[in-house]
Amino acid sequence: MSAYRLTEHAQKRKQQRGISDLQIELIRSFGDDHYQKGGCVLSFIAEKKLVQLREAIDRLSGMTIVKSPREEVVTVMRMGRRVT
């Protein structure tokens, strides 16, 4: 996941509100941006998209991708056995 920087204010609010780094990364990855006056951007995941993400996550069990050394996805499959 890509790196990001939190202001001191954001770090304090993150801790106070019990928000994890993973949650911030998920919003950064899947959230929709809404531009505001002054140049800031609100980014959040709408409820409809959250439902779609939950359904997709529930179907991940056993799903596997095979990647090349150049990070190309070669194939996708469901694994029925443990890989060592």
Side-chain angles (χ1 to χ4, degrees):
M1 295 199 177
S2 63
Y4 61 92
R5 191 180 81 72
L6 290 176
T7 63
E8 287 182 35
H9 176 78
Q11 183 64 39
K12 184 176 181 179
R13 293 296 179 259
K14 176 180 163 274
Q15 289 173 330
Q16 288 174 336
R17 295 171 178 157
I19 296 170
S20 71
D21 290 332
L22 178 58
Q23 289 170 312
I24 291 172
E25 283 294 343
L26 289 169
I27 292 170
R28 287 172 45 97
S29 296
F30 298 105
D32 295 318
D33 291 343
H34 299 271
Y35 294 87
Q36 306 295 298
K37 290 180 183 177
C40 287
V41 179
L42 294 176
S43 187
F44 59 91
I45 304 173
E47 191 62 36
K48 184 176 180 179
K49 192 181 243 185
L50 280 173
V51 169
Q52 293 170 337
L53 289 169
R54 285 183 189 113
E55 290 172 357
I57 288 169
D58 287 343
R59 292 190 307 268
L60 281 177
S61 182
M63 189 177 296
T64 304
I65 63 171
V66 177
K67 299 185 292 185
S68 74
R70 293 182 303 194
E71 293 293 315
E72 296 171 310
V73 176
V74 176
T75 191
V76 295
M77 62 186 161
R78 294 210 177 267
M79 295 288 289
R81 61 183 176 83
R82 192 172 177 182
V83 177
T84 57

